[in-house]
Amino acid sequence: MAQFQNDDLEYMEDFHDMTEFEDQQQELQNGQDSDVEDELELSHPKTDTSALEARNGKDIQGIQWERMNYTRDEYRDRRLKQYKNYESLSPFHGDLEKECKQVERGSIFYDFQFNTRLVKSTIVHFQLRNLLWATSKHDAYLMQNYSVMHWSSLHQRGKEVLNVAGPIVPTLKYPGSFARSVSRVQISTMAVKDNLMVAGGFHGELICKYLNRPGVAFCTKITDGENAITNTVDLYQASNGLTRLMTANNDSAVRVFDTENFACLSQFTFPWSVNNTSVSPDGKLFAVLGDNVNCLIADAQSGKVIKNLKGHLDYSFASAWHPDGRILATGNQDTTCRLWDVRNTSQSLAVLKGRMGAIRSIKFSSDGRFMAMAEPADFVHIYDTQADYNRDQEIDLFGEIAGISFSPDTETLFVAVSDRTYGSLLEFNRRRCYQYLDSII
């Protein structure tokens, strides 16, 4: 992983200049905003966008294109031409384009529902984008500076559930536990499952909190190494049925913790920095991705590597397993997502390509019907797995993407956008076909 210092935890600098665009928008906002707003405007700000407003022509992010010096299409074309994808290795060449699957764009699986700027995602490290998790179709958790925020789409309001700016003292301590206080944590990755929220820090911190209890249950520094950033945390059900926590760090180690006493059960070391791990649905295997062109599949009990996946051209930062446990998706800085059948990994099943940049986040819906993958900025792609990934819905927006998350019931897809002006949380609802209603009306 690239070294990236962000000691002041300011909004991440974009590699791609949007300054002129943002300055014009800020001038428009400054000219329009009133000094006095009533309670209704505060609770439902003009900057938010509803589905009805979007159907009536309002931009889903509230961008006032009609007052700009260029149209949305013109600005999109400009971004596509000027965007420079970050590469860790020398520029890759060859027949990558020929490998990529030709897909049918234009499908709509999820309809835009709402966009709010009451909560705004922030990003600590430009290569890490797992900073958003949905626990229901109405509830999402995301990072905003030094706060973990809960957004309720039902009540359309946000609430801070954890502040990591000051000292954090663990409430649960056991004999032999290596719990320790931490302070001013820059959260680089997070995960939420059931009632447990886990966050990893820029300096090797690990924080575990039960959402229905006050305080932090457990926190520590996994390692004190100079390059100790926690790149990924993954909550999963082990093959014995118990919930486990897996962490991946820049010190090349993967660690497994229980979620009762938060004891470290296993530690596996790899030849390079581990950027991402994900555990198979049956808890028996886990994918290992990092500062290497190859991805690995290892045994979850022993850590022994049993598969070596070859095909990517740069470093990988995202992975996800289809719920059936047979398909693994890996996202890479070579701008592709590769699909692998774990029963035969001699070559990837398919190669899916983004529009502009690396694939930094991948999620499957819990029913396995859809796979969503996010680029660093501007584009989220949703594929229909039942159509052999041949059909794609492309969500086109502007800004860095901090994370994507399906709700457990698959009804909602949330997208977190990190941007100085247009930082927000977007909500998309699954499109359903109720033809039977037509016969009643």
Side-chain angles (χ1 to χ4, degrees), residues 76-77 88 117 125 151 158 186 202 214 253 345 358 361 387 397 413 437:
R76 169 51 67 212
D77 184 61
S88 296
R117 288 193 224 163
H125 194 288
W151 169 255
Q186 300 176 7
F202 198 76
T345 58
S361 185
L397 50 86
L413 173 67
L437 291 176

Side-chain angles (χ1 to χ4, degrees), residues 292-434:
N292 192 278
V293 294
N294 297 336
C295 303
L296 309 175
I297 296 178
D299 180 88
Q301 286 291 328
S302 66
K304 180 182 178 181
V305 174
I306 58 177
K307 302 280 187 179
N308 192 352
L309 313 180
K310 298 181 179 181
H312 282 302
L313 304 176
D314 206 310
Y315 297 166
S316 296
F317 285 84
S319 66
W321 293 79
H322 189 279
D324 67 13
R326 295 196 297 267
I327 303 298
L328 172 68
T330 57
N332 192 274
Q333 290 184 155
D334 64 11
T335 73
T336 70
C337 167
R338 286 181 179 263
L339 302 174
W340 310 86
D341 186 330
V342 297
R343 297 166 297 182
N344 180 9
T345 58
S346 58
Q347 64 180 15
S348 52
L349 284 177
V351 184
L352 306 173
K353 194 173 188 307
R355 288 286 300 278
M356 296 198 315
I359 306 305
R360 297 214 179 273
S361 185
I362 304 173
K363 297 290 174 65
F364 280 98
S365 60
S366 61
D367 62 359
R369 174 68 189 275
F370 300 108
M371 186 194 81
M373 70 180 200
E375 301 182 41
D378 293 20
F379 291 104
V380 175
H381 306 267
I382 308 172
Y383 292 92
D384 184 351
T385 66
Q386 291 186 357
D388 196 27
Y389 302 85
N390 283 313
R391 299 174 60 204
D392 171 28
Q393 174 181 353
E394 186 176 88
I395 298 175
D396 182 330
L397 50 86
F398 290 98
E400 295 289 313
I401 298 170
I404 55 175
S405 184
F406 288 105
S407 61
D409 62 2
T410 79
E411 291 301 312
T412 304
L413 173 67
F414 290 98
V415 179
V417 176
S418 177
D419 185 80
R420 290 183 179 88
T421 305
Y422 292 101
S424 66
L425 182 65
L426 294 105
E427 176 187 346
F428 296 83
N429 286 358
R430 186 166 177 173
R431 175 172 284 192
R432 298 289 188 179
C433 296
Y434 298 112

Side-chain angles (χ1 to χ4, degrees), residues 173-207:
K173 294 184 179 180
Y174 301 91
S177 169
F178 66 109
R180 57 189 279 196
S181 300
V182 295
S183 181
R184 200 168 176 78
V185 179
Q186 300 176 7
I187 291 180
S188 51
T189 185
M190 63 182 291
V192 184
K193 184 175 182 180
D194 300 327
N195 189 42
L196 181 61
M197 178 181 67
V198 177
F202 198 76
H203 297 287
E205 300 94 342
L206 178 65
I207 301 171

Side-chain angles (χ1 to χ4, degrees), residues 1 4-7 9 123-125 128 130-131 143 145-146 148 162 164 168 182-191 197-208 218-234 245-251 255 257 274-275:
M1 167 177 294
F4 180 80
Q5 296 299 323
N6 191 16
D7 293 335
L9 197 62
I123 300 168
V124 170
H125 194 288
L128 303 178
N130 286 317
L131 295 167
M143 278 308 305
N145 295 318
Y146 284 99
V148 177
L162 176 64
V164 294
I168 305 168
V182 295
S183 181
R184 200 168 176 78
V185 179
Q186 300 176 7
I187 291 180
S188 51
T189 185
M190 63 182 291
M197 178 181 67
V198 177
F202 198 76
H203 297 287
E205 300 94 342
L206 178 65
I207 301 171
C208 304
F218 176 81
C219 58
T220 193
K221 286 196 73 172
I222 293 176
T223 173
D224 291 312
E226 292 182 3
N227 190 18
I229 185 169
T230 306
N231 295 324
T232 307
V233 290
D234 185 22
L245 163 64
M246 181 175 286
T247 67
N249 284 73
N250 238 36
D251 65 354
R255 298 169 176 87
F257 298 81
V274 181
N275 299 330

